């Protein structure tokens, strides 16, 4: 696991990256921000009442000297944020609405990212996923050609590293969604120095069963290859055909993948969520994530049960996505 993040640290160090933490009064966030600032990996921007954030830092013994603290209620650049928000929402919010909405720390932090005053945002320690993701979808929005954001986990056990997607966001992706998820997951894999070999998973291997579910995956394979012919990608595969060389040789002898896939695209959120938790609990893998992908600028969501280390690691990932 240390190798996974040492590479990221080297990539982001010295790049003058700023990450917003809307939950500036949360002890876990304050401790993680203090570590990141002390190690000079990035500049944390903590959102909250300045005196209260400083008091929290003093209480837990953390220096925020190298961090920045912004209070939405007294932010000098609020007029700029309000005008940009009104323009971005295209008639869905008046100036009066915007001034109220931007007092919300997640909306405020997301606008800082949108206006390039920060490179990314990490929230969710004390907010729901919806509270974190909704402002990002309304303001930052998805990349050109990407219809939906998706969530991946990096599964780590010793020297083994795999990407599992989508395990967090899209309940019932269609073939176009799956193609997008595969392409974006390949980019995420490369961020962690994983050269992507992508298996599109199903309960069928290369037509061994026929149903709308298997055909959806087969169509996704064709679409992903059409969009990016350079991808090493195939399917539809049962997991063993994607992961075990002897099974691949038997079930898919002509495939570019011969039991050596390292990026696994699940056909539904149900399958993905179950799959990563089985690997985590029975297989002894550590699950890093969820990492949100497909947005124009990086925003990531913590679990409310997270600890300081989770905040620290997700901040590093978010900084890496912003390069």
């Amino acid at each position: 696991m240390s190798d996974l993040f040492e590479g990221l640290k080297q990539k982001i160090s010295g790049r003058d990256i700023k990450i917003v933490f809307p939950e500036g009064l949360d002890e876990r966030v304050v401790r993680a921000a203090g570590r990141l600032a002390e190690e000079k990996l990035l500049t944390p921007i903590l959102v909250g009442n300045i005196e209260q954030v400083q008091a929290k830092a003093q209480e837990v013994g953390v220096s925020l000297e190298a961090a920045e603290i912004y209070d939405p209620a007294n932010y000098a650049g609020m007029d700029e944020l309000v005008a940009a928000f009104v323009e971005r929402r295209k008639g869905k919010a008046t100036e009066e609405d915007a001034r109220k909405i931007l007092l919300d720390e997640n909306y405020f932090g997301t606008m800082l990212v949108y206006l390039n005053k920060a490179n990314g945002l990490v929230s969710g320690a004390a907010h729901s996923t919806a509270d974190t993701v909704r402002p990002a979808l309304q303001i930052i929005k998805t990349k050109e050609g990407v219809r939906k954001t998706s969530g991946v986990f990096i599964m780590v056990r010793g020297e083994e590293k795999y990407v599992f997607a989508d395990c967090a966001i899209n309940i019932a992706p269609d073939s176009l969604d799956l193609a997008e998820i595969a392409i974006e997951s390949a980019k995420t894999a490369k961020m962690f120095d994983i050269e992507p070999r992508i298996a599109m998973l199903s309960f069928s291997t290369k037509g061994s069963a026929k149903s709308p579910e298997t055909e959806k995956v087969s169509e996704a394979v064709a679409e992903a290859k059409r969009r990016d012919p350079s991808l090493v990608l195939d399917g539809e595969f049962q997991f063993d055909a994607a992961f075990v060389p002897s099974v691949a040789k038997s079930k898919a002898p002509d495939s570019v993948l011969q039991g050596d896939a390292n990026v696994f695209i699940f056909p539904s959120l149900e399958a993905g969520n179950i799959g990563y938790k089985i690997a985590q609990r029975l297989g002894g893998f550590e699950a890093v994530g969820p990492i949100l992908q497909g947005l124009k600028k990086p925003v990531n969501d913590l679990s409310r049960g997270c600890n300081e280390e989770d905040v620290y690691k997700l901040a590093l990932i978010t900084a890496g996505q912003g390069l």
Side-chain angles (χ1 to χ4, degrees):
M1 178 59 74
S2 61
D3 291 345
L4 189 73
F5 287 96
E6 282 307 314
L8 265 182
K9 288 179 182 180
Q10 291 175 15
K11 289 177 183 178
I12 68 175
S13 182
R15 301 292 290 268
D16 193 28
I17 294 171
K18 295 185 177 184
I19 299 297
V20 183
F21 298 89
E23 297 154 326
L25 293 175
D26 189 289
E27 178 177 335
R28 299 161 294 179
V29 172
V30 171
R31 288 185 181 277
R35 282 176 63 190
L36 293 160
E38 183 180 358
E39 294 173 11
K40 296 183 171 58
L41 293 169
L42 55 85
T43 300
I45 298 176
L46 294 161
V47 179
N49 177 277
I50 294 174
E51 291 181 359
Q52 291 178 0
V53 173
Q54 290 174 335
K56 175 60 72 173
Q58 186 174 7
E59 176 188 326
V60 301
V62 168
S63 171
L64 294 179
E65 186 175 342
E68 299 175 9
I69 307 171
Y70 295 167
D71 181 357
N74 297 288
Y75 180 61
M78 183 58 83
D79 288 347
E80 179 187 3
L81 266 63
V82 167
F85 183 81
V86 171
E87 189 279 331
R88 187 61 166 164
R89 296 298 288 143
K90 299 186 185 304
K92 295 180 180 178
T94 64
E95 180 179 333
E96 183 180 359
D97 294 333
R99 290 193 181 278
K100 292 178 182 176
I101 291 168
L102 291 176
L103 292 176
D104 177 281
E105 53 267 32
N106 281 308
Y107 274 96
F108 176 82
T110 302
M111 282 301 299
L112 294 180
V113 177
Y114 174 64
L115 292 176
N116 297 316
K117 299 178 186 298
N119 301 86
L121 177 147
V122 173
S123 188
H127 290 89
S128 70
T129 295
D131 289 338
T132 301
V133 175
R134 188 183 300 110
L137 293 177
Q138 290 179 353
I139 298 167
I140 293 173
K141 304 187 179 181
T142 56
K143 299 174 185 176
E144 295 299 325
V146 176
R147 301 190 306 169
K148 298 176 182 177
T149 188
S150 54
V152 307
F153 283 86
I154 310 300
M155 308 300 294
V156 184
R157 185 178 65 184
E159 298 298 313
E160 296 176 84
K161 295 185 290 187
Y162 304 104
V163 177
F164 282 17
D166 177 354
C167 303
I169 302 293
N170 295 288
I171 295 173
D174 62 22
S175 59
L176 295 179
D177 296 331
L178 290 175
E180 287 180 358
I181 292 166
I183 293 167
E184 292 303 311
S185 296
K187 297 173 185 175
T188 300
K190 289 179 180 179
M191 190 175 77
F192 291 95
D193 298 320
I194 300 169
E195 192 57 37
R197 301 180 64 81
I198 307 164
M200 309 289 280
L201 298 178
S202 184
F203 59 84
S204 165
T205 298
K206 293 291 189 176
S208 62
K210 288 284 188 183
S211 75
E213 291 80 7
T214 64
E215 289 172 3
K216 174 183 76 171
V217 178
S218 180
E219 290 166 5
V221 171
E223 178 65 16
K225 288 180 177 179
R226 185 190 68 78
R227 294 190 189 188
D228 188 351
S230 70
L231 289 176
V232 179
L233 175 149
D234 207 358
E236 82 280 13
F237 278 135
Q238 293 161 286
F239 184 83
D240 57 354
F243 192 70
V244 181
S246 61
V247 178
K249 185 177 180 180
S250 171
K251 291 188 174 184
D254 298 325
S255 175
V256 66
L257 299 177
Q258 285 298 303
D260 54 356
N262 53 23
V263 177
F264 300 95
I265 308 302
F266 291 84
S268 68
L269 180 59
E270 183 177 46
N273 192 268
I274 291 169
Y276 101 79
K277 288 182 182 293
I278 288 175
Q280 181 184 36
R281 300 301 180 180
L282 292 183
F285 280 84
E286 183 167 349
V288 179
I291 302 164
L292 300 185
Q293 56 186 21
L295 292 167
K296 289 181 179 177
K297 297 181 181 181
V299 169
N300 278 305
D301 177 42
L302 293 158
S303 163
R304 277 174 280 184
C306 68
N307 56 32
E308 173 193 333
E309 189 69 11
D310 296 328
V311 181
Y312 176 87
K313 288 177 178 176
L314 196 58
L316 294 177
I317 291 168
T318 306
Q321 286 179 298
L323 293 177

